[in-house]
Amino acid sequence: MALDVLIVDDSAAIRKILHRVLVQAEVPLGKVHEASDGNEALEKLKTEKVGLILSDINMPNMDGIEFLTRIKSDEVHKRVPVLMVTTEGSQAKVMQALELGAAGYVKKPFTADQIKEKLTGLI
Amino acid sequence: MEKVTQQDIEQAISKASREVFETMLNLPLEVKPAGMRKVIEPETFHGVLALVGVAGSWTGTGHMSCTPQFAQRLAGALLMTEYDSVNEDVLDAVAEVANMIIGNVKTILEEKLGSLGLTVPTVIFGRNYQTRSAGVKDWVLVRLHSGDDRMDINFCLMPSRVLAHMTPRSEILTA
């Protein structure tokens, strides 16, 4: 069954790379939606249902922590796995994301294999 | 709170740059720390410059500068596409490379300085433009060589304004 995915990152370069990695990982992709911050991502989720979210933490307007908080308090989307993919290496931020319900965490720079490994078991 | 030395910053930049070049760019890299650089007057740049700010109890800026040709090569390596001009994709790729390098430098320095925040990157492309960072004269410079191309990474760090009166500037960076 095809999986719709939402990629949230303020860098268009990273969004492209993550899309490519999902293809390389042979994820059975349906639609791949992109958003450049948490606000835009929440707007997308008003009209789209996805089975996986990849999200940055440090973003303008609404960061990944706030976005994750909103997702996990939303009845419709709270069970969607959210993988944090971010430059943010602070243990406090990572722990906060995991406590809020993030399914995992990958630090930038990353290899395709690291993303694939984290996706195993999530989808 | 421990202080960070010039060597700490050079090592952090070297480690972060190697990680980014090996993991995401797959480009050869030779790292050459070039010591402290004193900047009194505004500096003139040509090419692409990406800036990322660090904030918290310590404040600083990291910037990465290179020629348009190297920027195109970086973007090509990151996005697996060839670029023959500096377009939006190239600027975005350079901003992201700066974000990853400075972001990882920040993470390494947090071991000594405690939690720090990171600004979103800003990237500038042009000829003969000047930059000036308020109150900053001393920069740690590390040069990254990749084949015939070179990129300069400059980094400055100082206690935030609240703490500035407690720590003389000359004590902040010592080799």
Side-chain angles (χ1 to χ4, degrees):
Chain A
M1 196 172 113
L3 181 75
D4 290 354
V5 178
L6 173 62
I7 301 173
V8 191
D9 199 302
D10 54 328
S11 165
I14 292 294
R15 297 198 301 270
K16 279 182 192 169
I17 292 166
L18 286 172
H19 191 159
R20 190 177 69 217
V21 168
L22 291 173
V23 173
Q24 285 173 351
E26 298 179 344
V27 172
L29 285 178
K31 289 182 191 168
V32 177
H33 306 281
E34 295 186 11
S36 59
D37 61 43
N39 277 331
E40 205 179 307
L42 289 176
E43 280 301 309
K44 294 262 181 199
L45 290 174
K46 284 181 182 172
T47 54
E48 306 289 345
K49 280 193 176 175
V50 299
L52 174 69
I53 298 172
L54 307 180
S55 177
D56 190 9
I57 289 182
N58 291 324
M59 294 181 287
N61 303 317
M62 183 190 290
D63 69 13
I65 296 292
E66 175 66 20
F67 171 60
L68 183 64
T69 306
R70 301 277 193 99
I71 289 288
K72 293 301 170 186
S73 59
D74 181 311
E75 280 302 317
V76 178
H77 302 292
K78 69 180 182 187
R79 285 177 194 84
V80 177
V82 182
L83 180 65
M84 310 308 286
V85 183
T86 177
T87 306
E88 183 55 69
S90 132
Q91 279 306 305
K93 278 275 176 75
V94 173
M95 288 309 296
Q96 190 183 4
L98 295 174
E99 282 166 11
L100 283 167
Y105 163 81
V106 178
K107 187 168 162 292
K108 297 176 194 170
F110 53 81
T111 62
D113 286 342
Q114 286 169 328
I115 300 283
K116 285 178 205 171
E117 190 187 317
K118 290 286 179 180
L119 289 177
T120 307
L122 289 184
I123 53 175
Chain B
M1 182 186 295
E2 294 179 62
K3 293 168 188 170
V4 291
T5 65
Q6 173 189 337
Q7 198 179 22
D8 290 333
I9 294 175
E10 286 172 349
Q11 285 173 353
I13 293 172
S14 300
K15 184 171 186 285
S17 303
R18 284 201 175 92
E19 208 176 331
V20 171
F21 271 69
E22 284 170 12
T23 310
M24 298 203 73
L25 300 173
N26 199 22
L27 290 175
L29 178 69
E30 191 182 353
V31 181
K32 292 184 179 172
M36 293 298 294
R37 206 169 56 91
K38 195 168 275 297
V39 177
I40 308 297
E41 297 296 321
E43 289 187 280
T44 302
F45 285 93
H46 309 274
V48 181
L49 179 84
L51 298 125
V52 182
V54 174
S57 57
W58 289 63
T59 303
T61 302
H63 67 70
M64 191 178 97
S65 56
C66 66
T67 63
Q69 291 74 27
F70 194 19
Q72 289 161 213
R73 194 170 149 229
L74 281 179
L78 188 67
L79 299 171
M80 294 183 176
T81 310
E82 282 194 20
Y83 294 97
D84 55 11
S85 65
V86 177
N87 61 16
E88 199 176 327
D89 281 358
V90 173
L91 295 179
D92 192 68
V94 172
E96 189 52 38
V97 170
N99 186 44
M100 287 189 282
I101 293 176
I102 304 300
N104 279 284
V105 169
K106 181 214 81 149
T107 300
I108 294 167
L109 297 180
E110 278 179 328
E111 290 170 16
K112 289 193 170 183
L113 301 178
S115 183
L116 299 167
L118 202 64
T119 68
V120 292
T122 296
V123 64
I124 303 161
F125 170 49
R127 285 184 191 174
N128 203 29
Y129 56 89
Q130 292 190 325
T131 68
R132 183 181 174 85
S133 293
V136 179
K137 292 189 176 68
D138 300 321
W139 295 83
V140 176
L141 170 63
V142 175
R143 295 206 148 118
L144 309 182
H145 296 261
S146 179
D148 293 334
D149 291 313
R150 191 188 89 195
M151 171 188 290
D152 286 355
I153 296 190
N154 285 266
F155 196 89
C156 68
L157 193 67
M158 65 187 84
S160 294
R161 204 164 287 240
V162 178
L163 301 175
H165 67 283
M166 297 166 61
T167 310
R169 182 72 184 91
S170 58
E171 287 183 16
I172 297 165
L173 296 169
T174 49

